[in-house]
């Protein structure tokens, strides 16, 4: 596809359930970012990959959050034992050059934890 | 502690007039600034950016001004069109190297009235 895609677009989980959110970046893009956007807030950085290497995970809010990009393309953000405060839109972005700042965003996955 | 601040949650302007969206930042280490536009249920899309070595960047109807001494930037849209109605996010980044994570403001919702 031409852009960044994310699936599912919407996810409803019961508290305590594990979820996995997928991101397909633009083909050939080296850098991949995950952001969390709570209602009424701007996106907050979670983690960053350059190819398959996770270079920064300082934004992950707890050890329940885990991200991977094993082959340097598709990435998965996993949240274990979801809590209500995890409810947010999770945005994935990719960019061609790690030194450039124009990141291309997917539509996001809206996670609702009941 | 919000490093990037957009103090106006919303703005309403008449079609054909100028829209001015403002952004302030606190971290003097920021060296690159971006504006993103976001429609409901879509990811943010890049609009325009400016490096800290410049004070103005123009792209069609969109111009970004940077005042480093005041730690302030603004986005001007002239003339405003109804299709410009969206949430506009200001973002900033800093440093060299591979991790250019974006620090975002809370957004300003712009309504352009026909």
């Amino acid at each position: 596809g031409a852009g960044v895609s994310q699936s599912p677009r919407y996810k409803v989980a019961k508290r305590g359930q594990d979820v996995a959110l997928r991101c397909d970046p633009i083909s050939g893009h080296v850098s991949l970012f995950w952001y969390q956007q709570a209602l009424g807030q701007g996106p907050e950085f979670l983690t960053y990959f350059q190819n398959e290497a996770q270079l920064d995970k300082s934004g992950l809010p707890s050890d329940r959050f885990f991200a991977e990009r094993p082959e340097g393309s598709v990435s998965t953000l996993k949240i274990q034992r979801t809590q209500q405060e995890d409810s947010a839109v999770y945005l994935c972005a990719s960019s061609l050059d790690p030194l450039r700042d124009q990141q291309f965003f997917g539509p996001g996955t809206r996670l609702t934890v009941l | 502690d919000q490093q990037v601040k957009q103090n106006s949650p919303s703005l309403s302007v008449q079609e054909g007039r100028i829209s001015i969206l403002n952004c302030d930042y606190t971290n003097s280490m920021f060296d690159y600034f971006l504006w993103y536009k976001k429609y409901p249920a879509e990811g943010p899309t890049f609009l325009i950016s400016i490096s800290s070595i410049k004070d103005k960047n123009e792209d069609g109807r969109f111009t970004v001004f940077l005042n480093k001494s005041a730690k302030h930037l603004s986005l001007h849209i002239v003339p405003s069109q109804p299709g410009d109605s969206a949430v506009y996010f200001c973002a900033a980044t800093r440093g060299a190297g591979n991790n250019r994570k974006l620090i975002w403001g809370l957004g300003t919702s712009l309504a352009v009235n026909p």
Side-chain angles (χ1 to χ4, degrees), chain B residues 63-95:
Chain B
T63 303
V64 56
F65 296 92
L66 175 62
N67 182 335
K68 283 180 59 180
S69 61
K71 295 191 180 70
H72 176 83
L73 64 155
S74 60
L75 173 68
H76 292 210
I77 307 173
V78 182
S80 302
Q81 299 173 354
D84 296 329
S85 299
V87 177
Y88 289 78
F89 288 97
C90 172
T93 186
R94 64 178 175 90

Side-chain angles (χ1 to χ4, degrees), chain A residues 21-87:
Chain A
L21 313 180
R22 177 188 169 106
C23 173
D24 284 82
I26 294 173
S27 179
H29 276 198
V30 172
S31 301
L32 186 144
F33 299 79
W34 282 99
Y35 293 87
Q36 179 191 57
Q37 185 176 16
L39 189 63
Q41 304 292 313
E44 297 275 347
F45 170 80
L46 292 177
T47 187
Y48 161 71
F49 290 86
Q50 182 181 340
N51 295 306
E52 69 278 2
Q54 188 175 19
L55 299 186
D56 187 340
K57 52 183 180 179
S58 62
L60 296 176
S62 76
D63 59 6
R64 296 185 296 104
F65 287 71
F66 172 77
E68 59 183 6
R69 194 186 185 197
E71 297 178 359
S73 56
V74 171
S75 177
T76 304
L77 176 66
K78 297 179 180 177
I79 310 173
Q80 297 177 323
R81 305 180 304 282
T82 52
Q83 303 294 315
Q84 284 188 323
E85 62 263 28
D86 300 335
S87 296

Side-chain angles (χ1 to χ4, degrees), chain A residues 93-113:
Chain A
S94 70
S95 67
L96 181 60
D97 181 342
L99 299 181
R100 288 178 60 85
D101 299 294
Q102 184 181 338
Q103 298 176 16
F104 295 85
F105 283 81
T109 294
R110 179 176 294 278
L111 173 65
T112 303
V113 181

Side-chain angles (χ1 to χ4, degrees), chain B residues 35 51 65 80 83 109:
Chain B
W35 285 93
S51 165
F65 296 92
S80 302
S109 179

